[in-house]
Amino acid sequence: MRQSAAVKNYSHISGWLLFLACFFQVLILGGCSEIPGHGPSAYQVETATTQTDEQQLSYVMLDVDVSTVQHLSKYASSLPPKAFRRGKGKRSSVKVGVGDHLGVGIWESIPNGLFSTQGDKRTELSLVVDDKGMIFVPYAGEINVKNKTISQVRQQILEGLEGKAVDPQVVVNLEANGSHKVVVIGDVAKPGQFRVHEDGLSLVEVISEAGGTRNPDYETFVTVVRGANKFKFSLDDIAENPANNIWLQPQDIVSITHQPKSFTVFGAVVARRKHNFPSSQLSLSEAIGMSGGLHDGTADATGVFLFRFEDRQKMMPLLPPHEQHNEHPTVPVVYRLNLKEPSGMFLTQAFELKDKDVIYVANSSVSEVNKFISILVSPVTGTLRTGVALAAVP
């Protein structure tokens, strides 16, 4: 009798549990956007762009379609600013600076002139430009040669010797240009100072002279500092865009750093974590594959999102009107992809990842409902089963 009553009571309660489960399921389906999960639902991500709350970061939502992928593929990852886009130097354009070593040869037409020596009609001088930009030439006195070309220095010496030397001839050579050097620091085999040759010195040349980098090109970043301007890009961008192999100028600073490119994956995927790029280029499909793919039963294949800060000028043709007048140089963009469509698989292969990209896969609403019911109902049913078992003990 005791066991029969317990079973009857358990059946009665089970009927109530079934009713409550159905009730909560209907309630949740009517407001599933409020269910907590690994992150926002696809609906929340898509509708947040319409919010006007000034405390929230506004972003632009773009579908990953053929036109978007084609537009992004037209642009190189980085281009040197105008301040760095100069042609290589010429001998006549190299100017003398403080610390330069000049070789000056002076000839006279008579054997007993001011600069004649026993058995020779010439004198060789080795001069160093002092901290005031001056050199001293006998009988010509101090001459200001700072920021002057070699031909201008020669003419200055000739003018200084006029009326003193007999029909002088002057030859000037730049033996060591202490001021015409660039500094290479960071992750290279031989950091140091390197001379800017009369015919120019390119970025690749100076990295080679410094012994090359210690790490793969796609994990190596180059920063060139020229006065108040700075230009940073990945070393492997030179192969993709030869314009990045800029001609260096005296006093430039080249810094080489090892910075592995990475991306992060959140949401309904097998491996939610940060991943480093395994190669120079990485597609979205490869990135999803590295995370183990979408999680079966929980992922919303229509809600795959990629978060990235883009250059506003580059994205201008794709931006809505209200964003085109924003003066901020960057714009937060969320790219939306639907992997339930066959074209989505092809687009993931054409969409190239960038450093610090964030991929998020939303949870499906069905999985969130099941999770809620499991959390709410399982402890109750477990307790009731325990109670029934104890009641059934004679």
Side-chain angles (χ1 to χ4, degrees):
M1 292 293 293
R2 182 179 181 183
Q3 181 176 1
S4 177
V7 171
K8 183 176 180 181
N9 187 42
Y10 175 76
S11 299
H12 179 71
I13 295 176
S14 296
W16 275 104
L17 284 176
L18 180 60
F19 170 79
L20 288 174
C22 293
F23 172 79
F24 279 116
Q25 187 167 0
V26 172
L27 179 64
I28 293 168
L29 286 175
C32 60
S33 63
E34 299 297 325
I35 302 174
H38 294 296
S41 66
Y43 174 79
Q44 288 173 318
V45 176
E46 293 166 0
T47 56
T49 56
T50 61
Q51 296 179 359
T52 57
D53 188 353
E54 294 182 358
Q55 300 298 321
Q56 296 194 12
L57 177 67
S58 121
Y59 56 88
V60 175
M61 176 80 66
L62 295 176
D63 286 318
V64 178
D65 52 23
V66 175
S67 61
T68 300
V69 172
Q70 288 179 341
H71 177 81
L72 295 176
S73 65
K74 294 178 182 178
Y75 293 89
S77 57
S78 56
L79 289 173
K82 290 183 179 180
F84 294 90
R85 281 182 266 166
R86 297 178 181 175
K88 66 179 182 178
K90 299 178 181 178
R91 179 177 292 272
S92 61
S93 66
V94 175
K95 296 183 179 181
V96 177
V98 174
D100 285 356
H101 291 246
L102 301 177
V104 179
I106 304 175
W107 282 262
E108 288 187 271
S109 60
I110 58 174
N112 57 348
L114 293 174
F115 296 95
S116 300
T117 61
Q118 187 175 6
D120 203 345
K121 298 180 181 180
R122 68 174 182 176
T123 294
E124 295 290 339
L125 302 175
S126 181
L127 306 176
V128 178
V129 182
D130 65 19
D131 57 352
K132 296 180 180 179
M134 310 291 286
I135 61 172
F136 179 79
V137 178
Y139 300 102
E142 285 192 323
I143 301 175
N144 188 347
V145 297
K146 186 177 181 181
N147 293 327
K148 302 293 178 58
T149 65
I150 296 300
S151 61
Q152 288 174 330
V153 173
R154 175 181 173 274
Q155 186 61 36
Q156 284 179 294
I157 295 175
L158 282 172
E159 292 174 357
L161 295 176
E162 186 176 356
K164 302 171 184 177
V166 179
D167 193 20
Q169 301 294 313
V170 177
V171 174
V172 179
N173 291 311
L174 182 62
E175 295 179 344
N177 54 347
S179 64
H180 287 71
K181 291 184 178 180
V182 299
V183 178
V184 180
I185 59 175
D187 194 30
V188 290
K190 298 181 296 182
Q193 295 183 344
F194 299 89
R195 177 184 174 184
V196 179
H197 311 292
E198 286 80 358
D199 60 347
L201 180 67
S202 70
L203 181 59
V204 169
E205 288 174 335
V206 79
I207 293 176
S208 177
E209 290 185 23
T213 60
R214 304 174 186 270
N215 297 284
D217 288 352
Y218 66 87
E219 293 186 350
T220 302
F221 280 82
V222 181
T223 302
V224 181
V225 180
R226 179 174 298 170
N229 299 306
K230 183 185 294 187
F231 174 44
K232 181 179 180 180
F233 63 99
S234 176
L235 185 58
D236 67 329
D237 285 341
I238 293 180
E240 297 295 326
N241 183 14
N244 286 327
N245 186 26
I246 60 176
W247 293 101
L248 298 173
Q249 301 292 320
Q251 310 303 320
D252 281 355
I253 299 175
V254 179
S255 175
I256 310 295
T257 55
H258 178 223
Q259 297 178 9
K261 293 191 289 187
S262 63
F263 66 95
T264 309
V265 187
F266 295 105
V269 292
V270 175
R272 297 186 294 273
R273 64 183 181 88
K274 175 183 175 182
H275 302 266
N276 287 336
F277 277 47
S279 59
S280 174
Q281 294 180 327
L282 185 69
S283 67
L284 180 55
S285 62
E286 292 171 323
I288 294 175
M290 289 177 62
S291 67
L294 275 61
H295 198 287
D296 291 340
T298 62
D300 181 0
T302 66
V304 179
F305 302 95
L306 185 141
F307 296 75
R308 176 189 295 171
F309 285 94
E310 294 279 20
D311 179 79
R312 188 175 297 275
Q313 290 300 319
K314 181 182 77 172
M315 300 301 295
M316 195 65 72
L318 302 180
L319 297 180
H322 70 278
E323 284 289 347
Q324 294 181 0
H325 301 289
N326 194 318
E327 296 181 358
H328 199 277
T330 60
V331 53
V333 178
V334 179
Y335 293 99
R336 174 176 52 194
L337 186 67
N338 184 358
L339 289 184
K340 280 193 173 181
E341 297 179 354
S343 61
M345 295 297 181
F346 291 101
L347 292 169
T348 58
Q349 299 177 47
F351 193 96
E352 187 174 337
L353 249 65
K354 289 186 179 181
D355 188 28
K356 301 299 183 294
D357 276 351
V358 174
I359 301 171
Y360 173 71
V361 180
N363 292 325
S364 66
S365 57
V366 174
S367 68
E368 294 291 355
V369 171
N370 292 336
K371 184 195 306 181
F372 184 86
I373 293 175
S374 175
I375 294 173
L376 176 69
V377 176
S378 294
V380 179
T381 56
T383 302
L384 289 174
R385 287 173 182 171
T386 303
V388 171
L390 292 173
V393 176

